[in-house]
DNA sequence: TAGATTGTTAATCGATTAACAATC
DNA sequence: TAGATTGTTAATCGATTAACAATC
């Protein structure tokens, strides 16, 4: 195997593991409130309905090591998970498109800050520009490039209409945005070093409705 | 293998496939607007960045069959996907918890109805009760049981505070709710025939931040 | 010490990708 | 007909689960 290949062999933490990390953090915070100092993987697994071996493997990625028969130190885990999830860094983001969903996210994060802080929002409609939503100022999109570059913003939350999502994406990438949290149903075309995280309400609804339909089909068989 | 086992061998459509279905639908609607009548799996794959074989397999689940060298009939696919995704059925839902996220979802779906129709929302705070959000009436939670049963509602959207999420879930299940779209970070305990679809903003943020962090770690290696 | 739990290596399982024959 | 594409069967890949030795 060539050196080139070996370098490319670098695999980060598996995505399913990353997705479970916030669950562990939420659970461990809850557990630590009741004064529990140490916790074992089987206990976590029982409560969260995860396989105990999977819990062990997942937690190993935080760098925390446990003690046989005792388990893991809860405080240590919470800190390690916070660090793993990037809550200790500051993750400033811009939101583009202050329509229904954009407004929704702005109001939502007013209360809960889930690891990303929305610094400003952008829109082109006069009735939105220079207002505040959820404590965040809405500016005209033509101010975006300058601010992305001055504030070194790397994360953009995309909540524009579908009709302009690719166009806005292209511009933001050219301005230096490195990661796009895409809430539109559009498949965005981006250079390969740009990260796109698709969050589709549609996919989630699809899975739920499908399970519900299966349930009703399956029943008569039993 | 026992008969019991054979029955349990029933596997629905793989979840990853279900998650891709809305992408196909969105894409095909777009394509059909430009008057394209037939489309091949490789073309779809190229545009959506899916493996062509995967597209063929996914589309097979809709029941539509294509013609070699010609592809699939776009109109037929759109109809089949709409049907597959349950857009032709009416999927009425109740939303419980008209706080930040609840309000957000209510305002959002005002414009976009993504397969589920929110019929009413419920809360216990006097300042929310008997208001309207996004055209949906907010009622007191003590009216919920009666309405779930009268209207035969099967789907609940859970956007309560974490502190009451399990409690509210237990009640709704006892009232006859069959599927819960859970937006809280709580792991809900439910009877095994109840469907829980977790939609965690936290997980999505976690994946995005993790990719971003990896990117910045990996760069120096090159 | 005895035994529950960690941490690692192996087996399983399911989805993705590749190969290829059938077909229009 | 020739050849691109469907549709199916086989190979690969990665995550989950099982097995087990090390350890506190």
């Amino acid at each position: 195997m060539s050196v080139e290949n070996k370098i490319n062999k670098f695999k980060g933490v598996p995505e399913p593991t990353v997705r479970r990390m916030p669950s562990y953090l939420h659970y461990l915070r809850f557990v630590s409130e009741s004064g529990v100092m140490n916790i074992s993987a089987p206990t976590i697994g029982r409560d969260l309905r995860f396989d105990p071996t999977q819990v062990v493997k997942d937690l190993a990625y935080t760098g925390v090591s446990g003690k046989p028969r005792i388990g893991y130190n809860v405080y240590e885990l919470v800190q390690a998970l916070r660090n793993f999830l990037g809550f200790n860094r500051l993750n400033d983001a811009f939101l583009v498109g202050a329509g229904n969903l954009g407004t929704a996210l702005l109001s939502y994060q007013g209360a809960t800050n889930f690891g990303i802080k929305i610094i400003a929002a952008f829109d082109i409609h006069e009735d939105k520009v220079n207002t505040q939503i959820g404590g965040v100022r809405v500016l005209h999109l033509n101010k975006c490039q300058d601010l992305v570059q001055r504030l070194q913003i790397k994360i953009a939350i995309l909540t524009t209409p579908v009709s302009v999502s690719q166009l806005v994406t292209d511009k933001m990438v050219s301005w230096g945005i490195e990661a796009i949290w895409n809430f539109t149903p559009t498949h965005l075309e981006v250079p390969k070093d740009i990260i796109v995280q698709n969050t589709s309400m549609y996919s989630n609804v699809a899975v739920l409705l499908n399970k519900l339909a299966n349930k009703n089909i399956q029943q008569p068989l039993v």
Side-chain angles (χ1 to χ4, degrees), chain A residues 21-122:
Chain A
M21 291 306 201
S23 301
Y24 292 122
L25 180 56
H26 179 256
Y27 170 79
L28 291 167
R29 274 186 172 144
F30 172 74
V31 157
S32 79
E33 276 173 26
S34 35
V36 175
M37 300 293 279
N38 295 292
I39 195 159
S40 74
T43 304
I44 298 173
R46 207 145 37 235
D47 289 345
L48 256 31
R49 296 290 152 91
F50 292 158
D51 184 278
T53 306
Q54 187 168 70
V55 176
V56 170
K57 280 199 169 176
D58 285 346
L59 297 184
Y61 283 109
T62 65
V64 173
S65 63
K67 288 193 183 64
R69 271 190 60 92
I70 293 161
Y72 301 84
N73 179 275
V74 176
Y75 178 79
E76 223 183 309
L77 272 185
V78 167
Q79 292 310 315
L81 282 165
R82 280 180 55 81
N83 185 52
F84 179 93
L85 292 167
F87 287 7
N88 299 332
R89 279 164 270 143
L90 43 152
N91 301 295
D92 292 347
F94 279 174
L95 182 143
V96 185
N100 278 303
L101 183 56
T103 302
L105 290 175
L106 289 169
S107 337
Y108 180 39
Q109 81 120 32
T112 347
N113 184 329
F114 36 66
I116 282 182
K117 190 168 182 205
I118 305 176
I119 294 294
F122 297 88

Side-chain angles (χ1 to χ4, degrees), chain A residues 12-222:
Chain A
V13 180
E15 188 169 315
T17 297
V18 176
R19 301 194 80 86
R20 283 189 293 270
M21 291 306 201
S23 301
Y24 292 122
L25 180 56
H26 179 256
Y27 170 79
L28 291 167
R29 274 186 172 144
F30 172 74
V31 157
S32 79
E33 276 173 26
S34 35
V36 175
M37 300 293 279
N38 295 292
I39 195 159
S40 74
T43 304
I44 298 173
R46 207 145 37 235
D47 289 345
L48 256 31
R49 296 290 152 91
F50 292 158
D51 184 278
T53 306
Q54 187 168 70
V55 176
V56 170
K57 280 199 169 176
D58 285 346
L59 297 184
Y61 283 109
T62 65
V64 173
S65 63
K67 288 193 183 64
R69 271 190 60 92
I70 293 161
Y72 301 84
N73 179 275
V74 176
Y75 178 79
E76 223 183 309
L77 272 185
V78 167
Q79 292 310 315
L81 282 165
R82 280 180 55 81
N83 185 52
F84 179 93
L85 292 167
F87 287 7
N88 299 332
R89 279 164 270 143
L90 43 152
N91 301 295
D92 292 347
F94 279 174
L95 182 143
V96 185
N100 278 303
L101 183 56
T103 302
L105 290 175
L106 289 169
S107 337
Y108 180 39
Q109 81 120 32
T112 347
N113 184 329
F114 36 66
I116 282 182
K117 190 168 182 205
I118 305 176
I119 294 294
F122 297 88
D123 207 304
I124 50 165
H125 295 100
E126 289 306 330
D127 57 329
K128 301 272 181 180
V129 171
N130 293 324
T131 62
Q132 277 215 349
I133 304 173
V136 177
R137 288 196 57 180
V138 182
L139 306 170
H140 194 281
L141 189 61
N142 64 22
K143 294 211 165 55
C144 192
Q145 173 170 15
D146 179 50
L147 285 165
V148 163
Q149 288 163 356
R150 282 229 311 268
L151 302 178
Q152 295 280 299
I153 303 294
K154 299 297 171 209
I155 303 168
I157 301 172
L158 191 73
T159 49
T160 63
V162 166
S163 53
V164 295
S165 52
Q166 183 63 58
L167 197 75
V168 170
T169 298
D170 294 343
K171 287 196 175 186
M172 288 196 300
V173 168
S174 76
W175 298 338
I177 287 290
E178 290 178 5
I180 294 167
W181 193 4
N182 176 31
F183 281 86
T184 78
T186 308
H187 167 84
L188 300 173
E189 291 291 330
V190 293
K192 65 181 182 317
D193 59 324
I194 302 298
I195 293 153
V196 174
Q197 178 64 25
N198 295 304
T199 290
S200 166
M201 293 293 175
Y202 298 89
S203 288
N204 286 300
V205 174
V207 174
L208 183 137
L209 292 180
N210 183 255
K211 285 181 189 162
L212 198 57
N214 277 349
K215 185 184 160 182
N216 296 333
I217 290 167
Q218 243 177 319
Q219 228 109 63
L221 287 174
V222 180

